[in-house]
Amino acid sequence: MLYKASTIQSCTVQATDGDLGKVKDLYFDSEKWTIRYLVVDTLKWLPGKRVLVSPVSFDNVELDNNNISIFSSTDEIKNSPSVEEHQPITRVKELELHSYYGWSPYWVGGGLWGPGNLPLLSTKEDQQYVTEMEDDQSFLRSVNELRGQVFGYNVKGIDHEELGTVVDFVIDDNSWVVHYLIIDTGDWLPGRKVAISPESIDSIDWVAKDITINLRAAEVEEHSTETGSVLELEEIPVDNLRTRHLLNK
């Protein structure tokens, strides 16, 4: 099923022996547009430490009940490699986390999640690649960054028209692929929103916080919808068209 990132951020993450806290952010891979980690607000029991959990570690996902269970215990989380608040997440840091937890390295192999298209625990074969990838660049970006606390990234059409701002993401809870960005068209089309796929993005200026898509304003207007209709996106069943597109890049 498809869900909005805002729905996932209302979830509580449960370890094998208790609650860890609520999801406060999601990090996605800006090359394959797949969620790689949830960031958990540990409610002050681990001050200054950012807790990342990978879909690889999910035991049970019940987004309708605002609950995500993981295989790790609270002690395992507490003793995990430190990921400091307000610091970038480097590939070296990812390697430490993946080695510690036994997560399959998603950047090794031809699939969305390394050798396959679904998040899985690593095998012995996966682990042999870990030390070979330390100089590779990480492409992680924050969902909260793109949609902003007040205003998200600006979206422009191929005709340079201002189309609106990013307000949410649409993600499936199976492969954790980002299928759509939800754009609020603001004063241009008051009361309406539009869902655009990452394939329609021509470029992203991470400094200026601008996204340019390969659609004209008239095409975006044609596919815009009332706010309530966009909210029904989470009822759409997931197909594999986007996965096939990503794998054929």
Side-chain angles (χ1 to χ4, degrees):
M1 295 292 290
L2 299 184
Y3 293 88
K4 297 186 299 299
S6 53
T7 299
I8 296 170
Q9 286 189 276
S10 66
C11 289
T12 297
V13 179
Q14 292 188 330
T16 56
D17 56 351
D19 290 352
L20 287 180
K22 287 189 176 294
V23 178
K24 63 184 294 188
D25 200 356
L26 300 89
Y27 279 96
F28 68 95
D29 173 354
S30 61
E31 281 206 315
K32 292 190 174 180
W33 288 85
T34 303
I35 300 298
R36 301 304 183 187
Y37 307 102
L38 306 187
V39 184
V40 183
D41 183 350
T42 55
L43 306 177
K44 309 299 183 184
W45 67 274
L46 284 177
K49 184 171 181 176
R50 179 169 35 180
V51 170
L52 305 182
V53 293
S54 166
V56 172
S57 66
F58 294 171
D59 180 23
N60 191 33
V61 177
E62 297 178 334
L63 297 183
D64 290 334
N65 295 323
N66 297 326
N67 184 71
I68 297 174
S69 300
I70 64 174
F71 290 113
S72 301
S73 67
T74 53
D75 276 348
E76 188 175 12
I77 296 291
K78 184 177 181 180
N79 297 320
S80 65
S82 179
V83 183
E84 302 300 329
E85 289 275 11
H86 313 302
Q87 295 295 320
I89 302 171
T90 64
R91 178 53 50 85
V92 171
K93 183 57 64 176
E94 287 189 272
L95 286 166
E96 292 180 18
L97 289 169
H98 281 250
S99 297
Y100 177 81
Y101 287 110
W103 299 339
S104 181
Y106 64 83
W107 55 88
V108 179
L112 291 176
W113 287 93
N117 296 325
L118 298 176
L120 298 171
L121 290 172
S122 65
T123 65
K124 291 181 179 179
E125 289 75 16
D126 295 328
Q127 290 296 327
Q128 71 182 349
Y129 293 103
V130 169
T131 57
E132 300 174 14
M133 305 297 293
E134 293 186 357
D135 294 328
D136 270 25
Q137 181 181 359
S138 176
F139 295 93
L140 295 179
R141 289 286 174 174
S142 159
V143 162
N144 285 352
E145 175 193 353
L146 263 72
R147 68 183 189 186
Q149 292 185 346
V150 179
F151 296 107
Y153 274 38
N154 295 312
V155 180
K156 299 177 181 178
I158 198 171
D159 48 5
H160 305 293
E161 293 289 337
E162 298 274 354
L163 305 177
T165 57
V166 178
V167 293
D168 217 332
F169 291 67
V170 178
I171 302 159
D172 80 64
D173 60 351
N174 188 33
S175 64
W176 292 88
V177 165
V178 175
H179 290 263
Y180 304 104
L181 285 72
I182 299 180
I183 311 304
D184 187 329
T185 53
D187 294 336
W188 174 51
L189 296 173
R192 301 185 73 81
K193 294 184 180 179
V194 65
I196 63 169
S197 72
E199 287 80 29
S200 68
I201 295 174
D202 268 350
S203 63
I204 301 180
D205 187 329
W206 300 105
V207 176
K209 299 185 177 181
D210 286 333
I211 298 174
T212 302
I213 63 174
N214 57 17
L215 299 172
R216 299 184 183 278
E219 295 175 282
V220 173
E221 182 174 4
E222 180 183 353
H223 292 94
S224 66
T225 185
E226 299 292 341
T227 300
S229 300
V230 171
L231 297 180
E232 293 170 5
L233 278 170
E234 54 194 79
E235 303 301 325
I236 299 175
V238 175
D239 59 36
N240 63 358
L241 293 178
R242 177 158 162 66
T243 300
R244 288 208 302 271
H245 177 91
L246 285 168
L247 294 179
N248 288 332
K249 279 189 173 182

